[in-house]
Amino acid sequence: MAIPSVPPVLFLILSGILFTIGVIGALTRRNAIIVFICIEMMLNAVNLTFITLSRFLQSMDGVIFAFFVMAVAAAEAAVGLAIFVMIYRSRGTINIDEINLLKW
Amino acid sequence: MVENVGTLFQWLIFLGVAFVSILASLLVITRKNPIHSAVFLVLTFLCVAVLYLLLYSQFIAIIQIIVYAGAIVTLILFVIMLLDLEEELRSGLKLLYSKVLGSALAVLFLFAIIYSVAAMPLTGKLGPYPPGKLSQNVKTIGEVLFTRYLFPFEIVSVLLVAAIVGAVVLSKRKK
């Protein structure tokens, strides 16, 4: 008897679980860097969905999209972490409950 | 019989990697020390890279390890060490009504995702890239990227230059 190969549904459910864990982390943690890490995890889960659908629909578009998502994530990491450093210099904290003003 | 062994290994790798990645991402959001979070983030990224290999995407798996696990996490670790986060360490995870409500809504969202992917089989027109063609990954991606997706590729390069300039300008110390 032949074992069926891993169905796409399991990959999609796993990516949903990773995304949800990222959402919960971004909502419950107060350290801006942890929130940033959780956002990266959510981007990664979305990439997993793209690659899964690209594999099972036999198309290359999902792979290209995952590539672009990674480029945007790298740009976001550079600018976002520079903003954290700047906020820390001017306010002395990166607790997102205390950073509640756009201008001071 | 030989194919059966291969499929069995695929199942074993998938289940093991899925378990480790869920465990590592739970550790990312629960550790109090941000350094530990960043290191468990690397573990999550490596597990997802193994899943990419299972899905015949070697190129994205390598890029995942180089860009995510290499560059971005190194950047995060540098910034964590640059900032003095001792008081954040002590504040930790406080439970509030809004957080519980947010987490409950997120779990509800997960159930919606599971229902929507499990209720219907995968539909859509099949493209021209079966696994045999997908597995010569870099060549195929290069062909598609530099013909059909040339303009978005150039836009991404402009975006990266803008991000570099922005990061330098933002982090320059003002006189």
Side-chain angles (χ1 to χ4, degrees):
Chain A
M1 67 162 221
I3 308 170
S5 61
V6 186
V9 176
L10 287 186
F11 283 99
L12 294 177
I13 288 175
L14 173 65
S15 126
I17 289 172
L18 288 181
F19 188 89
T20 308
I21 291 172
V23 171
I24 291 173
L27 289 177
T28 54
R29 297 301 298 268
R30 297 276 71 101
N31 183 343
I33 289 185
I34 304 290
V35 173
F36 180 80
I37 285 176
C38 290
I39 290 171
E40 295 293 328
M41 239 160 61
M42 284 149 70
L43 284 175
N44 212 39
V46 172
N47 266 353
L48 183 59
T49 310
F50 271 132
I51 302 287
T52 307
L53 291 178
S54 163
R55 154 77 179 82
F56 287 100
L57 293 179
Q58 305 184 356
S59 157
M60 201 42 103
D61 299 347
V63 178
I64 304 287
F65 258 88
F67 178 74
F68 286 141
V69 168
M70 281 184 186
V72 172
E76 178 218 335
V79 175
L81 292 173
I83 289 175
F84 291 159
V85 172
M86 202 186 66
I87 287 177
Y88 187 78
R89 270 191 204 143
S90 65
R91 313 282 318 261
T93 178
I94 54 166
N95 186 333
I96 57 174
D97 277 344
E98 291 171 27
I99 308 166
N100 47 13
L101 295 173
L102 280 177
K103 192 180 175 190
W104 57 86
Chain B
M1 195 60 214
V2 178
E3 288 125 34
N4 263 352
V5 173
T7 320
L8 190 65
F9 266 104
Q10 271 190 7
W11 272 98
L12 286 180
I13 292 171
F14 175 78
L15 291 177
V17 165
F19 180 72
V20 173
S21 65
I22 291 172
L23 200 68
S25 54
L26 281 176
L27 285 171
V28 166
I29 66 167
T30 51
R31 292 301 94 188
K32 289 211 165 111
N33 189 339
I35 299 270
H36 295 174
S37 288
V39 173
F40 282 117
L41 184 71
V42 174
L43 185 57
T44 313
F45 285 165
L46 290 181
C47 290
V48 177
V50 172
L51 289 176
Y52 292 160
L53 286 180
L54 273 188
L55 293 167
Y56 298 96
S57 289
Q58 302 92 334
F59 177 70
I60 295 293
I62 299 291
I63 292 290
Q64 162 99 355
I65 291 174
I66 294 174
V67 173
Y68 267 121
I72 292 181
V73 176
T74 312
L75 211 57
I76 290 174
L77 282 175
F78 262 105
V79 171
I80 291 172
M81 290 176 195
L82 212 60
L83 310 183
D84 181 27
L85 295 179
E86 282 305 316
E87 75 275 18
E88 253 83 20
L89 282 183
R90 269 183 263 117
S91 72
L93 192 72
K94 283 180 294 185
L95 278 182
L96 290 177
Y97 283 123
S98 57
K99 293 176 182 174
V100 174
L101 191 64
S103 309
L105 285 179
V107 172
L108 205 63
F109 175 68
L110 172 66
F111 286 144
I113 291 178
I114 291 178
Y115 175 73
S116 60
V117 297
M120 290 249 281
L122 208 56
T123 54
K125 218 172 66 183
L126 289 189
Y129 294 99
K133 225 170 170 180
L134 268 181
S135 59
Q136 317 165 351
N137 211 241
V138 182
K139 183 165 174 279
T140 331
I141 287 179
E143 278 169 10
V144 178
L145 191 61
F146 291 114
T147 53
R148 258 185 78 192
Y149 290 93
L150 184 61
F151 185 63
F153 182 75
E154 300 292 342
I155 297 289
V156 162
S157 67
V158 173
L159 175 74
L160 284 175
V161 172
I164 294 170
V165 173
V168 171
V169 168
L170 279 179
S171 55
K172 207 169 65 177
R173 193 180 287 274
K174 291 193 181 62
K175 294 281 158 57

